[in-house]
Amino acid sequence: IKMNYRDALSKELSYALRHAPWEYELEMDAEGRVPIDQLLNALHREEHWKDVQEADIQEVIAKSEKKRFELKDGMIRAFYGHSIPMKIVKEEKMPPKVLYHGTARRFLDSIKAKGLLPQSRQYVHLSQDMETAKSVGRRHDGTPCILVIDAKKAWDEGVKFYLGNEKVWLADWVDAKYIVDYYISTTS
């Protein structure tokens, strides 16, 4: 791959793995590793990265002067420079009263009918704050839909929540009845 494309891909990987994994809805293990397939799926949602392959990531790693990433046994991680807490512990915990979920407007009817499902992930990703939900939603839609989840009621009625990190909460599934409000975000 060309050098400027490789450099741009390296920067995108750094951002995803070191600074904002919640924007890519990545599920890190205790060592900060994520399944390479999960990372590729996240990248493929963006037009610019729709054709990136594992071989491209391997080339970024191999040709990097600094050893920034490790790809081993189907898992990738950044070695250093994290601005996030590394550990995503799947620890059942009582969530805040309200959580948010940013998504594409085109999924709204399905979500209203079926609730929030993990799709290809292990968990449904929920945001601690509105801004994070907007940021996540913008990865799927320039004008995303922000769902407001009554997490306290869901918890009280038996829905399990897990603390991801200071911005992310995880759930196995969230019934549509716990979505108490939603709005279409603006670009600002």
Side-chain angles (χ1 to χ4, degrees), residues 130-138 141-146 183-188:
M130 188 78 69
E131 284 309 307
T132 302
K134 283 182 189 177
S135 180
V136 169
R138 281 191 197 111
D141 183 335
T143 310
C145 181
I146 309 304
Y183 75 96
I184 306 304
S185 175
T186 59
T187 53
S188 57

Side-chain angles (χ1 to χ4, degrees), residues 12 16 20-27 35-52 101-104 106-107 117-123 125 135-142:
E12 189 80 11
W22 54 86
E23 287 185 25
Y24 298 78
E25 299 184 76
L26 299 176
E27 294 170 0
I36 187 69
D37 292 342
Q38 194 178 87
L39 177 63
L40 285 168
N41 286 338
L43 291 172
H44 290 160
R45 286 188 216 117
E46 295 214 12
E47 184 64 27
H48 185 70
W49 302 116
K50 69 179 173 54
D51 296 323
V52 72
H101 181 81
T103 190
R106 68 184 178 274
F107 299 139
L117 304 170
Q119 305 298 348
S120 62
R121 296 186 165 74
Q122 293 177 326
Y123 301 98
H125 289 232
S135 180
V136 169
R138 281 191 197 111
R139 296 196 62 75
H140 307 284
D141 183 335

Side-chain angles (χ1 to χ4, degrees), residues 25 27 45 101-103 107 109-126 140 147 149 170-176 179:
E25 299 184 76
E27 294 170 0
R45 286 188 216 117
H101 181 81
T103 190
F107 299 139
D109 288 339
S110 174
I111 290 168
K112 284 180 179 177
K114 300 175 188 171
L116 290 170
L117 304 170
Q119 305 298 348
S120 62
R121 296 186 165 74
Q122 293 177 326
Y123 301 98
V124 171
H125 289 232
L126 302 165
H140 307 284
L147 307 174
I149 313 300
L170 307 170
D172 298 315
W173 172 69
V174 177
D175 192 296
I179 300 169

Side-chain angles (χ1 to χ4, degrees), residues 54-184:
E54 184 174 339
D56 300 323
I57 293 172
Q58 289 171 338
E59 185 176 332
V60 164
I61 294 169
K63 298 201 173 171
S64 174
E65 291 176 22
K66 300 176 182 176
K67 287 291 175 201
R68 290 187 167 102
F69 310 104
E70 174 187 58
L71 179 56
K72 183 176 170 184
D73 301 326
M75 304 289 278
I76 186 167
R77 72 174 172 165
F79 277 125
Y80 59 86
H82 298 82
S83 63
I84 57 159
M86 283 296 296
K87 195 167 188 174
I88 293 188
V89 179
K90 306 312 189 276
E91 168 191 348
E92 193 176 326
K93 196 163 183 170
M94 185 168 67
K97 183 174 176 9
V98 175
L99 289 168
Y100 305 92
H101 181 81
T103 190
R105 290 168 288 162
R106 68 184 178 274
F107 299 139
L108 193 54
D109 288 339
S110 174
I111 290 168
K112 284 180 179 177
K114 300 175 188 171
L116 290 170
L117 304 170
Q119 305 298 348
S120 62
R121 296 186 165 74
Q122 293 177 326
Y123 301 98
V124 171
H125 289 232
L126 302 165
S127 301
Q128 174 103 7
D129 60 76
M130 188 78 69
E131 284 309 307
T132 302
K134 283 182 189 177
S135 180
V136 169
R138 281 191 197 111
R139 296 196 62 75
H140 307 284
D141 183 335
T143 310
C145 181
I146 309 304
L147 307 174
V148 180
I149 313 300
D150 186 340
K152 169 133 180 32
K153 182 176 182 185
W155 171 265
D156 288 346
E157 294 182 3
V159 174
K160 291 184 169 116
F161 289 89
Y162 311 93
L163 180 61
N165 62 38
E166 84 279 3
K167 291 183 181 267
V168 177
W169 284 81
L170 307 170
D172 298 315
W173 172 69
V174 177
D175 192 296
K177 70 182 180 181
Y178 302 118
I179 300 169
V180 294
D181 204 0
Y182 70 93
Y183 75 96
I184 306 304

